[in-house]
Amino acid sequence: MTNSPKGRARGADKRRRLMSAAARVVHQQGVERTTIADIAAAADVPLGNVYYYFKTKDELVQAALAEHAGHLAELTGELDELPDPLQRLKALVDAWVGQRDTTARYGCPTGTLAAELDKRADGGLDLEAGEVIRSLLNWTEQQFRELDLPDPDDLALTFVGAYQGMSLLANALRDPEIMTGQGTRLTRWLDSLMEA
Amino acid sequence: MTNSPKGRARGADKRRRLMSAAARVVHQQGVERTTIADIAAAADVPLGNVYYYFKTKDELVQAALAEHAGHLAELTGELDELPDPLQRLKALVDAWVGQRDTTARYGCPTGTLAAELDKRADGGLDLEAGEVIRSLLNWTEQQFRELDLPDPDDLALTFVGAYQGMSLLANALRDPEIMTGQGTRLTRWLDSLMEA
DNA sequence: GTCTATATATAGATAGAC
DNA sequence: GTCTATCTATATATAGAC
């Protein structure tokens, strides 16, 4: 029997709360500086209970990565509703700029996570982080392809690379306005591609 | 009295060896996963002796950062010998592409270090990492300024951002050829700026 | 399913002989 | 200046009562 839905922590969604907290805290503190106790506290779950849902810390990190992948899929899913591929790409830039304060403080969630996981000798989670970035590249490439532009795979690398680069600089210099300025530049670049 | 220069480890340069090892190992493993024992082993210095040269781990990390800053200053110093600013920027791209294998495996030394330090709550070393990136931005901006291009500061952000972005993607996807392809694109972009 | 108490491992840092 | 042995703190993970 599950508990009644009366108490503040219903229990049925504890796993979800832990995933969400893991994504948030790992983004803010990084994988290595985040303890399971940190995540447990953020999710309002007692330390020992965490292990009922996730057997190891790596599983929690994997859950955090999956959470970010889910956010990204949700975003591109919404953008797919827009009729024009160019419009979709511009809206993605707008969404990135809209996150400028968080990005200036903690960097791109997926990018910083991938960079940190890539430093690990055990080739496991690092590959999964690469897959999340790969899926964003694939979505972007598809937009360029629909626009009948040459070398859509190269354009996708330039586009996503520009985002990762501006995110890292905004974070390193703690300046959200870098996202605004470079976002404008990226939008102008998209327009310039259509002229040719 | 210092030892004779006969033994393999002369002692006078132990500090230098530790700095070099710290830069190398921290680049490969990241700050948090690198132990002082790792650095000591890489520098061929006994663990306890490290503390004679660096009182804390943070001082070793700071030394690694200074080492990378030195490499960068050395590189831009050589580029300053070239007569034309456009030539200098293109040569910098070539240097980056020349490092493609290391970058695909471990990322940009300064970029990944800055990203990792920015996750720390204690606002100390993270600011210094930002300064190293800032100095590269300043050097780049100066080149654009000498070329009489508009908004040299913005162009510098785009240029360095493109490098950071392609480095992160090459690292996340473990593909050095991303550096080659995007390097070519970056060089073409530099040329296109001169046409206007 | 939940939670407290604790075992175990690791890493930063120090003591003190040489 | 050098180096071994060790202290101490922290974090992952588990045991076992409820």
Side-chain angles (χ1 to χ4, degrees), chain A residues 28-29 33 105-106 174, chain B residues 31-32 56-59 61 113-129:
Chain A
Q28 292 172 350
Q29 305 188 341
R33 290 182 79 90
R105 186 56 192 85
Y106 304 114
R174 295 282 167 84
Chain B
V31 173
E32 302 299 335
T56 63
K57 182 179 177 179
D58 266 18
E59 283 190 18
V61 174
L113 188 49
E116 201 177 356
L117 294 178
D118 272 324
K119 299 274 186 199
R120 319 213 311 190
D122 48 20
L125 285 178
D126 50 348
L127 298 178
E128 296 185 42

Side-chain angles (χ1 to χ4, degrees), chain B residues 47-174:
Chain B
L47 176 57
N49 198 6
V50 173
Y51 287 89
Y52 178 77
Y53 297 97
F54 299 93
K55 277 186 282 294
T56 63
K57 182 179 177 179
D58 266 18
E59 283 190 18
L60 267 169
V61 174
Q62 192 169 24
L65 184 60
E67 189 82 354
H68 289 305
H71 291 157
L72 202 57
E74 194 180 352
L75 176 58
T76 54
E78 287 170 14
L79 296 179
D80 280 330
E81 303 289 316
L82 296 173
D84 177 37
L86 180 64
Q87 224 179 325
R88 290 179 208 138
L89 290 169
K90 287 183 176 179
L92 181 52
V93 174
D94 287 344
W96 285 336
V97 173
Q99 289 297 312
R100 62 185 174 282
D101 288 330
T102 313
T103 303
R105 185 59 192 81
Y106 304 115
C108 163
T110 314
T112 55
L113 188 49
E116 201 177 356
L117 294 178
D118 272 324
K119 299 274 186 199
R120 319 213 311 190
D122 48 20
L125 285 178
D126 50 348
L127 298 178
E128 296 185 42
E131 281 169 31
V132 177
I133 290 183
R134 170 65 73 191
S135 77
L136 174 60
L137 281 168
N138 286 341
W139 182 89
T140 305
E141 180 178 342
Q142 179 59 27
Q143 311 311 311
F144 285 123
R145 197 182 300 281
E146 289 182 21
L147 291 171
D148 280 315
L149 289 169
D151 299 314
D153 52 340
D154 250 50
L155 290 172
L157 285 168
T158 303
F159 184 76
V160 176
Y163 165 58
Q164 290 299 335
M166 69 177 81
S167 296
L168 190 142
L169 292 180
N171 183 220
L173 302 179
R174 293 281 169 86

Side-chain angles (χ1 to χ4, degrees), chain A residues 1 7 14 19 29 55 62 74 100 106 156 174 188:
Chain A
M1 282 298 183
K14 271 190 180 177
M19 281 189 70
Q29 305 188 341
K55 277 187 281 295
Q62 193 170 23
E74 194 180 353
R100 62 185 174 280
Y106 304 114
R174 295 282 167 84
R188 276 209 303 265

Side-chain angles (χ1 to χ4, degrees), chain A residues 11-33:
Chain A
D13 58 351
K14 271 190 180 177
R15 192 188 166 83
R16 212 183 312 271
R17 294 216 315 277
L18 283 166
M19 281 189 70
S20 170
R24 191 171 58 256
V25 178
V26 164
H27 181 208
Q28 292 172 350
Q29 305 188 341
V31 174
E32 303 299 335
R33 290 182 79 90

